[in-house]
Amino acid sequence: LFISTVSGNLVDAPEKMKKGVRFKIAQNQKTRDGMEHVHYVSCVNFQDGLQDILLGLNKGDPMTVNGRTTIAQNESNGKMYLNIDVIADNVTLPPRKAPASTGSDFPFANA
């Protein structure tokens, strides 16, 4: 168990659980030899105030998650896979642009 930060895009819309919200992030990573790999990180968040925000997100939305992480190695069909799971203590979303009518990226800038 360790703390990590993962940035990526939602694989699917977040799903409400009995307690908390579950979601998965895809993170692209290029190696030195130019190969590209996609890592999938399963996340869960139990903070009441954040659940409604997470449930309003859609597939492809970017985010950064920080939290307690576990990694397990599994084998399936002769291939080794890593299962990465994060209990998301902190979730950061990029700022959303204000409606085009304000002419500003920040809604309070014209106040």
Side-chain angles (χ1 to χ4, degrees):
L1 186 71
F2 57 95
I3 303 296
S4 64
T5 301
V6 179
S7 293
N9 295 49
L10 283 172
V11 174
D12 289 310
E15 151 189 357
K16 185 165 180 56
M17 303 182 324
K18 197 173 201 177
K19 291 185 178 182
V21 174
R22 179 180 312 194
F23 54 98
K24 189 179 279 191
I25 298 174
Q27 180 185 51
N28 294 328
Q29 183 180 40
K30 285 188 179 181
T31 60
R32 290 182 184 172
D33 61 0
M35 297 290 295
E36 189 169 314
H37 299 278
V38 179
H39 300 283
Y40 295 97
V41 180
S42 297
C43 304
V44 64
N45 179 274
F46 298 107
Q47 298 170 355
D48 290 334
L50 190 56
Q51 290 181 15
D52 290 336
I53 294 170
L54 288 171
L55 290 170
L57 298 176
N58 298 305
K59 177 180 179 177
D61 285 346
M63 67 170 38
T64 300
V65 174
N66 179 273
R68 295 165 279 161
T69 305
T70 59
I71 297 177
Q73 187 172 348
N74 295 316
E75 184 178 346
S76 177
N77 298 327
K79 290 186 178 182
M80 297 302 285
Y81 294 95
L82 290 179
N83 290 336
I84 306 168
D85 297 303
V86 177
I87 298 173
D89 296 321
N90 298 302
V91 176
T92 305
L93 305 172
R96 297 194 185 256
K97 291 195 175 229
S101 61
T102 65
S104 171
D105 287 347
F106 302 98
F108 55 83
N110 290 333

